Amino acid sequence: MEKFEKFTGIAAPMPLVNIDTDMIIPKIFLKTIKRSGLGVNLFDEMRYDRQGNEIPDFVLNKPQYREAQILVAGDNFGCGSSREHAPWALADFGIKVVVSTSFADIFFNNCFKNGMLPIVLPQEQVDLLMKDAEKGANARMSVDLEAQEITTSDGETIKFDVDAFKKHCLLEGLDDIGLTLEKEAAISSFEAQNATARPWV
């Protein structure tokens, strides 16, 4: 997993509430177990009509938001089924940060495990970021995980909270496998001792 570093990017406004995981990535695309390739189908039923043509009014189809890396969303983002394909699709599109007033628990934790940062803020601060995002591609926000700050295009700084362990994992690029491999020396030592003590196993 890539390390999460401070970056400046385009923020897309999506003020819808209760965006569930089926809206993020419809169930028809859940056949794959690969993390890549799902970005093109992100929000598929909102991005495309039945003939597969882009719907121009959808925010991520607008020229100014095609390269968005930050999503400012309405309340209860990522609700519904627990499919990990939802954060896969967001990450594959290029989204690094999702800001909302609340997230579904499983989606929230899956974001961290896939190198994305979900940020919970009070409604008034989400509203401020939503208004800033509505300015388009010229209004770029900065996100600094180390300092736990979002800086708007006007230079206003908003602090956010994040679990210390999850922050460490993002900064170091550690997913569950990476965390396990940190203990590789201890695991190898145990296996060697165990092979000597219990050769029949």
Side-chain angles (χ1 to χ4, degrees):
M1 190 169 79
E2 289 185 11
K3 293 183 179 182
F4 188 104
E5 300 176 348
K6 179 179 178 180
F7 75 96
T8 299
I10 298 166
M14 190 174 287
L16 301 174
V17 300
N18 302 321
I19 294 177
D20 64 32
T21 52
D22 192 55
M23 294 167 69
I24 296 171
I25 186 73
K27 58 183 176 293
I28 192 174
F29 302 109
L30 303 188
K31 299 172 184 176
T32 182
I33 57 172
K34 295 180 180 179
R35 298 187 185 194
S36 60
L38 290 171
V40 69
N41 301 116
L42 177 68
F43 298 115
D44 192 87
E45 293 177 356
M46 292 190 282
R47 281 173 73 189
Y48 308 105
D49 62 23
R50 291 188 178 183
Q51 286 71 47
N53 302 307
E54 288 189 353
I55 298 172
D57 289 340
F58 183 69
V59 62
L60 297 180
N61 288 338
K62 295 179 179 180
Q64 62 268 41
Y65 297 115
R66 286 183 178 273
E67 303 298 324
Q69 291 180 289
I70 304 166
L71 197 61
V72 184
D75 189 54
N76 196 28
F77 190 89
C79 57
S81 67
S82 60
R83 63 192 67 169
E84 195 171 6
H85 294 69
W88 290 358
L90 286 161
D92 192 60
F93 180 86
I95 300 295
K96 294 180 178 291
V97 175
V98 182
V99 181
S100 179
T101 53
S102 70
F103 294 89
D105 286 344
I106 295 175
F107 174 85
F108 184 78
N109 289 313
N110 279 340
C111 282
F112 286 102
K113 292 181 179 183
N114 288 281
M116 289 172 42
L117 175 62
I119 297 175
V120 178
L121 291 173
Q123 186 66 60
E124 59 269 21
Q125 292 182 328
V126 173
D127 290 343
L128 187 152
L129 294 175
M130 191 78 71
K131 186 172 291 187
D132 196 45
E134 289 170 354
K135 296 176 183 177
N138 292 328
R140 300 167 72 86
M141 294 182 195
S142 295
V143 179
D144 187 337
L145 177 56
E146 182 66 53
Q148 296 180 207
E149 292 178 347
I150 300 174
T151 304
T152 70
S153 63
D154 296 323
E156 185 168 350
T157 299
I158 295 174
K159 299 288 288 186
F160 61 86
D161 293 325
V162 61
D163 176 82
F165 176 70
K166 290 180 170 66
K167 175 180 178 179
H168 166 75
C169 289
L170 281 181
L171 288 172
E172 297 300 321
L174 297 172
D175 57 12
D176 288 348
I177 295 174
L179 285 168
T180 302
L181 290 176
E182 281 193 317
K183 309 294 184 184
E184 186 175 11
I187 293 169
S188 297
S189 175
F190 169 81
E191 291 291 349
Q193 292 175 16
N194 192 52
T196 301
R198 304 166 63 195
W200 61 87
V201 176

